[in-house]
Amino acid sequence: MFVDGRQVPDGTVIETDLAIIGAGAAGISIARELAGSGISVALIESGGFEFDAETQDLYEGEIAGVDYPLTSSRLRYFGGTTNHWGGWCRPFEPLDFEERDWVPYSGWPIARADLDPFYERAREVLQIRSPAFDDASAWEKGGQPLPLAGDEVETRFFLYSPPTRMGKKYRPDIERAKNVTCYLHSNVTEIVASPNGAEVERLDVATLSGVRFTVKPKACVLATGGIENARLLLLSNSVEEAGLGNRNGIVGRFFMEHPHVPSPATFLVTGLDLVADWYRTYTKVVTPAGNVVMRGCLMFTEDYLRRTKRLGTVMTFAPSHPILAEDEPPAADASEEEKAKAEEAAKRNAVFRSVLQLARSTTASPAASNEIGWRLGVGCASEQEPNPASRVTLSDETDALGLRRTKLAWRLKKSDADSLRGNLEAVARAFGGWGEGRVQILFPERDEWTEAEGWGNHHLGTTRMSVDPRRGVVDAECRVHGMSNLFIAGSSLFTTGSTVNPTLTLVALALRLSDHLKRRFAAGASEL
């Protein structure tokens, strides 16, 4: 059932088996798994059922590194950021979980095989209709992957959630669950530990209307997102001065994103027919209702990444515009600005024509039409190296609840830029060796990367997993090191960020944590 926290009598003390802080993808997944289990659950959500600007403002904060949109990158109401996500899903690769000698601070305490059964369950939660993330034959229907040269680049598949708006889709499940109570408009202001800091004693909760009450759980899951998870641990400092789970100074460190570059290179092909089957078959499969269910992208093979010691990149393509044998002149009544733009385009197309004619001279006969080739639109997203200097701390400014706001220093490294540049060179080799395409790399070599062209709104890594408390905040079971009953869910757990969207993996981790909690409660609350 749902309770408006603003209507809870001031000073109320609520006792429960499990408290889940945050009703986004991770929190709702765990609450649903425990519905009907006999374990009493208090699901605590800052917002209501709709967007509210006053509540959303609690996300506001200070930027100390790469410029980044703190407020607009997340939604603070029931369902969390699934209220506006795009639905892209793909599991991490086995390599992503490994300790890679060329990636400092890499190595998860779990392997891809540990998550495989939970990926299957996560796919159902996110309403993904097919398991064919890596089965090209499931999507061919007469098409073929691009016959790129070499063994460095290959087509892989993202599958789409509708996208599932978890607040709407699973609201009835929470409403019906007799053992789950969701407190809306309720903000946890501190996770208060016992005097020795070894366990959660209570949660202090406040509403923007001024009501304050307490939740006393036997166990607690923190699931407020990749930035807010770290912020709340740092704010919970009445017992541990540096914040809970932060005796080694790791909370908030290793913030990662997926830097996006919208036009990292110009891609030319000698004829659209050469990529049409690939584009229609692999780039977007659309249902009669208009829903995209699959997208094929270019990614890099494990052998290549190991050999070159690079991070991953994913590249997406779409036909952009034809390159004609001759440019059409501007209209007679065109403005001076329009004429200048046409002149600039003509210069650019002259270069493109030269490149395409060179490609055609090796493999292709002249085109029958006025088209001599096509320019492809392209975008890419890359993995970021874990960086302890990229971090979430607390600002001196406070929010409407009197809590210190977030201070985010997102920091990219030269090695991140070098890796992306090297991957673009690999794609250029693959297109050049194919013979039907050429690539002009636009992403420059950099001495530093201090401004990002774009990002995925993916907040990763601030309470990372590690068996070693000196390198992470939680253990392999998502429990905060040094505490018996505080667990964390969400993408803040990620030890490394891969290059794919995080939702499928964070839901899989949440389902794995749900099973662990069921076992622990079944064994007796004393073991928590």
Side-chain angles (χ1 to χ4, degrees), residues 163-178:
T164 302
R165 308 297 181 204
M166 293 185 70
K168 293 182 179 179
K169 172 66 178 175
Y170 296 122
R171 176 176 169 180
D173 293 357
I174 303 301
E175 181 83 59
R176 290 190 297 264
K178 295 180 180 179

mmCIF file with all atom_site columns, all heavy atoms in Angstrom, residues 163-178:
data_model
loop_
_atom_site.group_PDB
_atom_site.id
_atom_site.type_symbol
_atom_site.label_atom_id
_atom_site.label_alt_id
_atom_site.label_comp_id
_atom_site.label_asym_id
_atom_site.label_entity_id
_atom_site.label_seq_id
_atom_site.pdbx_PDB_ins_code
_atom_site.Cartn_x
_atom_site.Cartn_y
_atom_site.Cartn_z
_atom_site.occupancy
_atom_site.B_iso_or_equiv
_atom_site.pdbx_formal_charge
_atom_site.auth_seq_id
_atom_site.auth_comp_id
_atom_site.auth_asym_id
_atom_site.auth_atom_id
_atom_site.pdbx_PDB_model_num
ATOM 1   N N   . PRO A 1 163 ? 10.122 1.633   -23.441 1.00 0.00 ? 163 PRO A N   1
ATOM 2   C CA  . PRO A 1 163 ? 10.772 1.300   -22.175 1.00 0.00 ? 163 PRO A CA  1
ATOM 3   C C   . PRO A 1 163 ? 9.765  1.171   -21.031 1.00 0.00 ? 163 PRO A C   1
ATOM 4   O O   . PRO A 1 163 ? 8.741  1.853   -21.014 1.00 0.00 ? 163 PRO A O   1
ATOM 5   C CB  . PRO A 1 163 ? 11.700 2.501   -21.940 1.00 0.00 ? 163 PRO A CB  1
ATOM 6   C CG  . PRO A 1 163 ? 11.006 3.641   -22.622 1.00 0.00 ? 163 PRO A CG  1
ATOM 7   C CD  . PRO A 1 163 ? 10.281 3.067   -23.801 1.00 0.00 ? 163 PRO A CD  1
ATOM 8   N N   . THR A 1 164 ? 10.084 0.281   -20.105 1.00 0.00 ? 164 THR A N   1
ATOM 9   C CA  . THR A 1 164 ? 9.227  0.037   -18.949 1.00 0.00 ? 164 THR A CA  1
ATOM 10  C C   . THR A 1 164 ? 9.295  1.217   -17.987 1.00 0.00 ? 164 THR A C   1
ATOM 11  O O   . THR A 1 164 ? 10.364 1.545   -17.478 1.00 0.00 ? 164 THR A O   1
ATOM 12  C CB  . THR A 1 164 ? 9.659  -1.237  -18.215 1.00 0.00 ? 164 THR A CB  1
ATOM 13  O OG1 . THR A 1 164 ? 9.606  -2.331  -19.132 1.00 0.00 ? 164 THR A OG1 1
ATOM 14  C CG2 . THR A 1 164 ? 8.758  -1.525  -17.032 1.00 0.00 ? 164 THR A CG2 1
ATOM 15  N N   . ARG A 1 165 ? 8.178  1.868   -17.768 1.00 0.00 ? 165 ARG A N   1
ATOM 16  C CA  . ARG A 1 165 ? 8.057  2.920   -16.748 1.00 0.00 ? 165 ARG A CA  1
ATOM 17  C C   . ARG A 1 165 ? 7.680  2.222   -15.454 1.00 0.00 ? 165 ARG A C   1
ATOM 18  O O   . ARG A 1 165 ? 6.515  1.927   -15.201 1.00 0.00 ? 165 ARG A O   1
ATOM 19  C CB  . ARG A 1 165 ? 6.998  3.950   -17.142 1.00 0.00 ? 165 ARG A CB  1
ATOM 20  C CG  . ARG A 1 165 ? 7.169  4.540   -18.530 1.00 0.00 ? 165 ARG A CG  1
ATOM 21  C CD  . ARG A 1 165 ? 8.453  5.313   -18.672 1.00 0.00 ? 165 ARG A CD  1
ATOM 22  N NE  . ARG A 1 165 ? 8.605  5.903   -20.008 1.00 0.00 ? 165 ARG A NE  1
ATOM 23  C CZ  . ARG A 1 165 ? 9.766  6.228   -20.545 1.00 0.00 ? 165 ARG A CZ  1
ATOM 24  N NH1 . ARG A 1 165 ? 10.890 6.000   -19.869 1.00 0.00 ? 165 ARG A NH1 1
ATOM 25  N NH2 . ARG A 1 165 ? 9.843  6.766   -21.744 1.00 0.00 ? 165 ARG A NH2 1
ATOM 26  N N   . MET A 1 166 ? 8.678  1.941   -14.636 1.00 0.00 ? 166 MET A N   1
ATOM 27  C CA  . MET A 1 166 ? 8.441  1.040   -13.510 1.00 0.00 ? 166 MET A CA  1
ATOM 28  C C   . MET A 1 166 ? 7.459  1.611   -12.492 1.00 0.00 ? 166 MET A C   1
ATOM 29  O O   . MET A 1 166 ? 6.749  0.864   -11.827 1.00 0.00 ? 166 MET A O   1
ATOM 30  C CB  . MET A 1 166 ? 9.766  0.656   -12.861 1.00 0.00 ? 166 MET A CB  1
ATOM 31  C CG  . MET A 1 166 ? 10.619 -0.206  -13.789 1.00 0.00 ? 166 MET A CG  1
ATOM 32  S SD  . MET A 1 166 ? 12.143 -0.842  -13.073 1.00 0.00 ? 166 MET A SD  1
ATOM 33  C CE  . MET A 1 166 ? 11.506 -2.049  -11.905 1.00 0.00 ? 166 MET A CE  1
ATOM 34  N N   . GLY A 1 167 ? 7.394  2.924   -12.384 1.00 0.00 ? 167 GLY A N   1
ATOM 35  C CA  . GLY A 1 167 ? 6.436  3.520   -11.470 1.00 0.00 ? 167 GLY A CA  1
ATOM 36  C C   . GLY A 1 167 ? 5.002  3.248   -11.866 1.00 0.00 ? 167 GLY A C   1
ATOM 37  O O   . GLY A 1 167 ? 4.140  3.011   -11.015 1.00 0.00 ? 167 GLY A O   1
ATOM 38  N N   . LYS A 1 168 ? 4.724  3.271   -13.163 1.00 0.00 ? 168 LYS A N   1
ATOM 39  C CA  . LYS A 1 168 ? 3.376  2.995   -13.646 1.00 0.00 ? 168 LYS A CA  1
ATOM 40  C C   . LYS A 1 168 ? 3.128  1.497   -13.784 1.00 0.00 ? 168 LYS A C   1
ATOM 41  O O   . LYS A 1 168 ? 2.065  0.987   -13.390 1.00 0.00 ? 168 LYS A O   1
ATOM 42  C CB  . LYS A 1 168 ? 3.156  3.700   -14.986 1.00 0.00 ? 168 LYS A CB  1
ATOM 43  C CG  . LYS A 1 168 ? 3.146  5.216   -14.882 1.00 0.00 ? 168 LYS A CG  1
ATOM 44  C CD  . LYS A 1 168 ? 2.878  5.867   -16.235 1.00 0.00 ? 168 LYS A CD  1
ATOM 45  C CE  . LYS A 1 168 ? 2.839  7.391   -16.116 1.00 0.00 ? 168 LYS A CE  1
ATOM 46  N NZ  . LYS A 1 168 ? 2.593  8.042   -17.419 1.00 0.00 ? 168 LYS A NZ  1
ATOM 47  N N   . LYS A 1 169 ? 4.099  0.796   -14.369 1.00 0.00 ? 169 LYS A N   1
ATOM 48  C CA  . LYS A 1 169 ? 3.917  -0.626  -14.619 1.00 0.00 ? 169 LYS A CA  1
ATOM 49  C C   . LYS A 1 169 ? 3.729  -1.411  -13.330 1.00 0.00 ? 169 LYS A C   1
ATOM 50  O O   . LYS A 1 169 ? 2.880  -2.313  -13.242 1.00 0.00 ? 169 LYS A O   1
ATOM 51  C CB  . LYS A 1 169 ? 5.133  -1.159  -15.393 1.00 0.00 ? 169 LYS A CB  1
ATOM 52  C CG  . LYS A 1 169 ? 5.192  -2.664  -15.567 1.00 0.00 ? 169 LYS A CG  1
ATOM 53  C CD  . LYS A 1 169 ? 4.081  -3.196  -16.430 1.00 0.00 ? 169 LYS A CD  1
ATOM 54  C CE  . LYS A 1 169 ? 4.217  -4.698  -16.624 1.00 0.00 ? 169 LYS A CE  1
ATOM 55  N NZ  . LYS A 1 169 ? 3.063  -5.242  -17.381 1.00 0.00 ? 169 LYS A NZ  1
ATOM 56  N N   . TYR A 1 170 ? 4.513  -1.098  -12.297 1.00 0.00 ? 170 TYR A N   1
ATOM 57  C CA  . TYR A 1 170 ? 4.513  -1.929  -11.094 1.00 0.00 ? 170 TYR A CA  1
ATOM 58  C C   . TYR A 1 170 ? 3.872  -1.268  -9.877  1.00 0.00 ? 170 TYR A C   1
ATOM 59  O O   . TYR A 1 170 ? 3.889  -1.833  -8.793  1.00 0.00 ? 170 TYR A O   1
ATOM 60  C CB  . TYR A 1 170 ? 5.950  -2.353  -10.779 1.00 0.00 ? 170 TYR A CB  1
ATOM 61  C CG  . TYR A 1 170 ? 6.523  -3.229  -11.872 1.00 0.00 ? 170 TYR A CG  1
ATOM 62  C CD1 . TYR A 1 170 ? 7.692  -2.874  -12.546 1.00 0.00 ? 170 TYR A CD1 1
ATOM 63  C CD2 . TYR A 1 170 ? 5.871  -4.389  -12.267 1.00 0.00 ? 170 TYR A CD2 1
ATOM 64  C CE1 . TYR A 1 170 ? 8.204  -3.673  -13.567 1.00 0.00 ? 170 TYR A CE1 1
ATOM 65  C CE2 . TYR A 1 170 ? 6.366  -5.191  -13.283 1.00 0.00 ? 170 TYR A CE2 1
ATOM 66  C CZ  . TYR A 1 170 ? 7.535  -4.828  -13.932 1.00 0.00 ? 170 TYR A CZ  1
ATOM 67  O OH  . TYR A 1 170 ? 8.023  -5.624  -14.945 1.00 0.00 ? 170 TYR A OH  1
ATOM 68  N N   . ARG A 1 171 ? 3.260  -0.124  -10.095 1.00 0.00 ? 171 ARG A N   1
ATOM 69  C CA  . ARG A 1 171 ? 2.509  0.496   -8.993  1.00 0.00 ? 171 ARG A CA  1
ATOM 70  C C   . ARG A 1 171 ? 1.416  -0.430  -8.455  1.00 0.00 ? 171 ARG A C   1
ATOM 71  O O   . ARG A 1 171 ? 1.268  -0.562  -7.229  1.00 0.00 ? 171 ARG A O   1
ATOM 72  C CB  . ARG A 1 171 ? 1.920  1.826   -9.467  1.00 0.00 ? 171 ARG A CB  1
ATOM 73  C CG  . ARG A 1 171 ? 1.032  2.522   -8.442  1.00 0.00 ? 171 ARG A CG  1
ATOM 74  C CD  . ARG A 1 171 ? 0.580  3.882   -8.962  1.00 0.00 ? 171 ARG A CD  1
ATOM 75  N NE  . ARG A 1 171 ? -0.463 4.469   -8.133  1.00 0.00 ? 171 ARG A NE  1
ATOM 76  C CZ  . ARG A 1 171 ? -1.031 5.652   -8.367  1.00 0.00 ? 171 ARG A CZ  1
ATOM 77  N NH1 . ARG A 1 171 ? -0.638 6.366   -9.426  1.00 0.00 ? 171 ARG A NH1 1
ATOM 78  N NH2 . ARG A 1 171 ? -1.976 6.123   -7.582  1.00 0.00 ? 171 ARG A NH2 1
ATOM 79  N N   . PRO A 1 172 ? 0.642  -1.116  -9.309  1.00 0.00 ? 172 PRO A N   1
ATOM 80  C CA  . PRO A 1 172 ? -0.381 -2.030  -8.764  1.00 0.00 ? 172 PRO A CA  1
ATOM 81  C C   . PRO A 1 172 ? 0.221  -3.143  -7.904  1.00 0.00 ? 172 PRO A C   1
ATOM 82  O O   . PRO A 1 172 ? -0.404 -3.567  -6.925  1.00 0.00 ? 172 PRO A O   1
ATOM 83  C CB  . PRO A 1 172 ? -1.057 -2.593  -10.017 1.00 0.00 ? 172 PRO A CB  1
ATOM 84  C CG  . PRO A 1 172 ? -0.833 -1.563  -11.066 1.00 0.00 ? 172 PRO A CG  1
ATOM 85  C CD  . PRO A 1 172 ? 0.530  -1.024  -10.786 1.00 0.00 ? 172 PRO A CD  1
ATOM 86  N N   . ASP A 1 173 ? 1.403  -3.639  -8.246  1.00 0.00 ? 173 ASP A N   1
ATOM 87  C CA  . ASP A 1 173 ? 2.037  -4.694  -7.446  1.00 0.00 ? 173 ASP A CA  1
ATOM 88  C C   . ASP A 1 173 ? 2.351  -4.202  -6.045  1.00 0.00 ? 173 ASP A C   1
ATOM 89  O O   . ASP A 1 173 ? 2.147  -4.917  -5.055  1.00 0.00 ? 173 ASP A O   1
ATOM 90  C CB  . ASP A 1 173 ? 3.332  -5.160  -8.113  1.00 0.00 ? 173 ASP A CB  1
ATOM 91  C CG  . ASP A 1 173 ? 3.099  -5.875  -9.431  1.00 0.00 ? 173 ASP A CG  1
ATOM 92  O OD1 . ASP A 1 173 ? 1.925  -6.065  -9.799  1.00 0.00 ? 173 ASP A OD1 1
ATOM 93  O OD2 . ASP A 1 173 ? 4.089  -6.236  -10.085 1.00 0.00 ? 173 ASP A OD2 1
ATOM 94  N N   . ILE A 1 174 ? 2.855  -2.987  -5.936  1.00 0.00 ? 174 ILE A N   1
ATOM 95  C CA  . ILE A 1 174 ? 3.160  -2.423  -4.621  1.00 0.00 ? 174 ILE A CA  1
ATOM 96  C C   . ILE A 1 174 ? 1.867  -2.129  -3.862  1.00 0.00 ? 174 ILE A C   1
ATOM 97  O O   . ILE A 1 174 ? 1.783  -2.332  -2.648  1.00 0.00 ? 174 ILE A O   1
ATOM 98  C CB  . ILE A 1 174 ? 4.008  -1.149  -4.771  1.00 0.00 ? 174 ILE A CB  1
ATOM 99  C CG1 . ILE A 1 174 ? 5.298  -1.446  -5.564  1.00 0.00 ? 174 ILE A CG1 1
ATOM 100 C CG2 . ILE A 1 174 ? 4.342  -0.549  -3.420  1.00 0.00 ? 174 ILE A CG2 1
ATOM 101 C CD1 . ILE A 1 174 ? 6.184  -2.500  -4.946  1.00 0.00 ? 174 ILE A CD1 1
ATOM 102 N N   . GLU A 1 175 ? 0.866  -1.672  -4.595  1.00 0.00 ? 175 GLU A N   1
ATOM 103 C CA  . GLU A 1 175 ? -0.431 -1.366  -3.973  1.00 0.00 ? 175 GLU A CA  1
ATOM 104 C C   . GLU A 1 175 ? -1.043 -2.617  -3.350  1.00 0.00 ? 175 GLU A C   1
ATOM 105 O O   . GLU A 1 175 ? -1.594 -2.579  -2.242  1.00 0.00 ? 175 GLU A O   1
ATOM 106 C CB  . GLU A 1 175 ? -1.374 -0.798  -5.036  1.00 0.00 ? 175 GLU A CB  1
ATOM 107 C CG  . GLU A 1 175 ? -2.752 -0.403  -4.510  1.00 0.00 ? 175 GLU A CG  1
ATOM 108 C CD  . GLU A 1 175 ? -2.758 0.977   -3.891  1.00 0.00 ? 175 GLU A CD  1
ATOM 109 O OE1 . GLU A 1 175 ? -2.437 1.949   -4.577  1.00 0.00 ? 175 GLU A OE1 1
ATOM 110 O OE2 . GLU A 1 175 ? -3.094 1.055   -2.698  1.00 0.00 ? 175 GLU A OE2 1
ATOM 111 N N   . ARG A 1 176 ? -0.921 -3.758  -4.046  1.00 0.00 ? 176 ARG A N   1
ATOM 112 C CA  . ARG A 1 176 ? -1.563 -4.989  -3.578  1.00 0.00 ? 176 ARG A CA  1
ATOM 113 C C   . ARG A 1 176 ? -0.771 -5.726  -2.506  1.00 0.00 ? 176 ARG A C   1
ATOM 114 O O   . ARG A 1 176 ? -1.331 -6.531  -1.765  1.00 0.00 ? 176 ARG A O   1
ATOM 115 C CB  . ARG A 1 176 ? -1.784 -5.941  -4.761  1.00 0.00 ? 176 ARG A CB  1
ATOM 116 C CG  . ARG A 1 176 ? -2.839 -5.504  -5.744  1.00 0.00 ? 176 ARG A CG  1
ATOM 117 C CD  . ARG A 1 176 ? -3.144 -6.630  -6.721  1.00 0.00 ? 176 ARG A CD  1
ATOM 118 N NE  . ARG A 1 176 ? -1.977 -6.977  -7.525  1.00 0.00 ? 176 ARG A NE  1
ATOM 119 C CZ  . ARG A 1 176 ? -1.746 -6.502  -8.736  1.00 0.00 ? 176 ARG A CZ  1
ATOM 120 N NH1 . ARG A 1 176 ? -2.592 -5.652  -9.292  1.00 0.00 ? 176 ARG A NH1 1
ATOM 121 N NH2 . ARG A 1 176 ? -0.672 -6.867  -9.412  1.00 0.00 ? 176 ARG A NH2 1
ATOM 122 N N   . ALA A 1 177 ? 0.518  -5.476  -2.433  1.00 0.00 ? 177 ALA A N   1
ATOM 123 C CA  . ALA A 1 177 ? 1.376  -6.252  -1.531  1.00 0.00 ? 177 ALA A CA  1
ATOM 124 C C   . ALA A 1 177 ? 1.075  -5.888  -0.076  1.00 0.00 ? 177 ALA A C   1
ATOM 125 O O   . ALA A 1 177 ? 1.346  -4.770  0.371   1.00 0.00 ? 177 ALA A O   1
ATOM 126 C CB  . ALA A 1 177 ? 2.845  -5.995  -1.843  1.00 0.00 ? 177 ALA A CB  1
ATOM 127 N N   . LYS A 1 178 ? 0.540  -6.844  0.677   1.00 0.00 ? 178 LYS A N   1
ATOM 128 C CA  . LYS A 1 178 ? 0.141  -6.567  2.059   1.00 0.00 ? 178 LYS A CA  1
ATOM 129 C C   . LYS A 1 178 ? 1.332  -6.346  2.985   1.00 0.00 ? 178 LYS A C   1
ATOM 130 O O   . LYS A 1 178 ? 1.194  -5.737  4.047   1.00 0.00 ? 178 LYS A O   1
ATOM 131 C CB  . LYS A 1 178 ? -0.725 -7.717  2.582   1.00 0.00 ? 178 LYS A CB  1
ATOM 132 C CG  . LYS A 1 178 ? -2.056 -7.849  1.848   1.00 0.00 ? 178 LYS A CG  1
ATOM 133 C CD  . LYS A 1 178 ? -2.890 -8.997  2.402   1.00 0.00 ? 178 LYS A CD  1
ATOM 134 C CE  . LYS A 1 178 ? -4.208 -9.102  1.660   1.00 0.00 ? 178 LYS A CE  1
ATOM 135 N NZ  . LYS A 1 178 ? -5.054 -10.232 2.157   1.00 0.00 ? 178 LYS A NZ  1
#
